[in-house]
Amino acid sequence: MTIEQLDPRFNTLVSKTAKAEILADGFSWSEGPLWIEQYKMFLFSDVKKNVIYKWTKEKGKEIYLSPSGYTGKIPRGGELGSNGLGLNKKGQLIICQDGDRVVSLMDAPLNKPKTKFIRLATGYRGKKFDSPNDLAFLSNGDIYFTDPPYGLEKNVDDPLKEAKYQGVYKISATGKITLLTDTLTRPNGIAFFPGGKTILIANSDPGKAYWYAYDLDKNGLFINGRIFYSANAASKQDAGMPDGLKIDKKGNVFASGPGGLWIFNQSGKLLGKMKFNDLVSNCSFSADAKTLYLTSNHRVLKVSLR
């Protein structure tokens, strides 16, 4: 990892001496990082192997849940496993299940995982989702998630694709599914700014490599959509697209993008980058936000920020 400081404020977020540590490797495509403070464990998906792994300091890498995203009997390839992971307001594990094309709740305690799922969202207006990818949570219990075509074996041209668009959706606390936008070409990472009034969404499209911001109206619907930042130029020089992202309690954005991890302030000022020699798909903070856990292709990493 190399540090690229573009603004003095970057030093308050990432130490000049920060280094990346490899926690585990041997994965096909790691994603969905989630630090669970209660059990001091780091969960993440191997999307192509249909497994959720956990890492702990005591035992290292272990299988946590398998199958994690595709429970069907017909063999298939592609990104069939789980992707985004998160905890709802009750502390239960919510899973974006690419292969089954649903958002589900693991119906088991976090410390006693089971392949028992309650499906929270299976489709919209009679059409199946493509492959729910990542999610964000409001304090009122609403879940927002992105639905790009990456979990379909032939992507956007897959004959099993039912919707003519890629969507971003909301699951209300009462279970109602609402389409929030159908205008993003490849909606991917998603997170709320502090206060829950504005949301940030990564678009992992080589032609529109943008991070988009939307404000929320009183009903939690999208208004005032705009480009938060463009990575179009950078995507022509460095490998990677806007992908997974997290936002800290002060509104600073840590977003995977071309060349590694990009760090912005809340107003969209690029403060600096953490550059890697491999693709970074997503990240997750420790409880005190001093440590960052990253999924990076076939590896998972840890960076002590300060």
Side-chain angles (χ1 to χ4, degrees):
M1 183 183 77
T2 58
I3 299 295
E4 182 179 320
Q5 177 189 327
L6 301 173
D7 186 284
R9 288 169 287 184
F10 183 78
N11 288 335
T12 66
L13 302 174
V14 181
S15 167
K16 293 180 180 179
T17 59
K19 289 181 169 38
E21 173 188 348
I22 297 174
L23 296 181
D25 59 14
F27 311 108
S28 295
W29 179 246
S30 60
E31 249 289 8
L34 175 65
W35 175 257
I36 299 182
E37 177 67 14
Q38 181 182 2
Y39 297 106
K40 298 293 191 291
M41 65 181 177
F42 173 44
L43 299 184
F44 55 94
S45 302
D46 190 335
V47 185
K48 294 183 180 180
K49 291 295 179 68
N50 203 14
V51 174
I52 293 175
Y53 285 92
K54 78 171 181 178
W55 177 92
T56 59
K57 186 176 181 180
E58 294 74 25
K59 295 185 177 181
K61 175 183 72 174
E62 299 176 273
I63 290 178
Y64 179 80
L65 198 67
S66 177
S68 66
Y70 181 58
T71 58
K73 302 300 182 184
I74 301 173
R76 54 152 292 181
E79 297 185 3
L80 75 165
S82 59
N83 200 311
L85 308 174
L87 299 181
N88 66 10
K89 63 185 301 184
K90 295 180 180 179
Q92 299 166 302
L93 183 64
I94 309 299
I95 307 172
C96 289
Q97 296 185 300
D98 279 6
D100 286 346
R101 303 168 68 176
V102 299
V103 178
S104 294
L105 179 153
M106 182 182 74
D107 190 19
L110 292 173
N111 63 340
K112 296 179 180 179
K114 294 181 181 179
T115 52
K116 184 180 179 183
F117 307 108
I118 297 173
R119 293 183 170 182
L120 305 180
T122 59
Y124 180 71
R125 292 187 174 175
K127 296 185 184 298
K128 288 184 178 180
F129 298 125
D130 287 357
S131 53
N133 183 279
D134 206 355
L135 28 70
F137 301 83
L138 276 181
S139 59
N140 67 356
D142 292 351
I143 302 171
Y144 289 63
F145 70 93
T146 55
D147 186 38
Y150 298 131
L152 299 173
E153 289 187 272
K154 295 182 180 179
N155 208 295
V156 72
D157 297 318
D158 197 291
L160 296 179
K161 180 175 169 60
E162 297 187 8
K164 295 182 180 180
Y165 56 85
Q166 284 64 240
V168 180
Y169 298 89
K170 178 181 76 165
I171 310 169
S172 75
T174 60
K176 180 183 177 182
I177 312 299
T178 303
L179 174 64
L180 300 167
T181 181
D182 60 3
T183 63
L184 304 189
T185 51
R186 296 292 184 274
N188 202 313
I190 184 169
F192 283 104
F193 283 99
K197 301 296 184 183
T198 303
I199 198 166
L200 190 65
I201 302 173
N203 195 58
S204 50
D205 182 341
K208 295 181 178 180
Y210 303 140
W211 289 277
Y212 290 95
Y214 294 87
D215 297 326
L216 270 60
D217 68 12
K218 64 180 182 180
N219 298 312
L221 305 180
F222 287 178
I223 55 173
N224 191 28
R226 68 265 189 201
I227 294 173
F228 179 80
Y229 202 92
S230 171
N232 271 343
S235 69
K236 295 174 173 58
Q237 299 175 349
D238 295 315
M241 285 285 123
D243 200 334
L245 58 97
K246 297 295 184 295
I247 300 176
D248 70 15
K249 293 180 180 179
K250 294 183 179 180
N252 299 298
V253 179
F254 289 67
S256 55
L261 203 72
W262 297 42
I263 293 88
F264 307 92
N265 68 8
Q266 188 162 354
S267 62
K269 171 70 175 177
L270 181 60
L271 305 180
K273 300 178 184 178
M274 300 159 63
K275 305 195 80 171
F276 295 85
N277 62 354
D278 204 351
L279 296 174
V280 174
S281 63
N282 209 334
C283 63
S284 178
F285 291 110
S286 62
D288 62 7
K290 292 182 179 180
T291 302
L292 195 66
Y293 296 90
L294 301 101
T295 46
S296 177
N297 203 347
H298 63 277
R299 303 176 292 194
V300 292
L301 313 172
K302 181 178 80 168
V303 177
S304 296
L305 296 175
R306 55 193 183 277

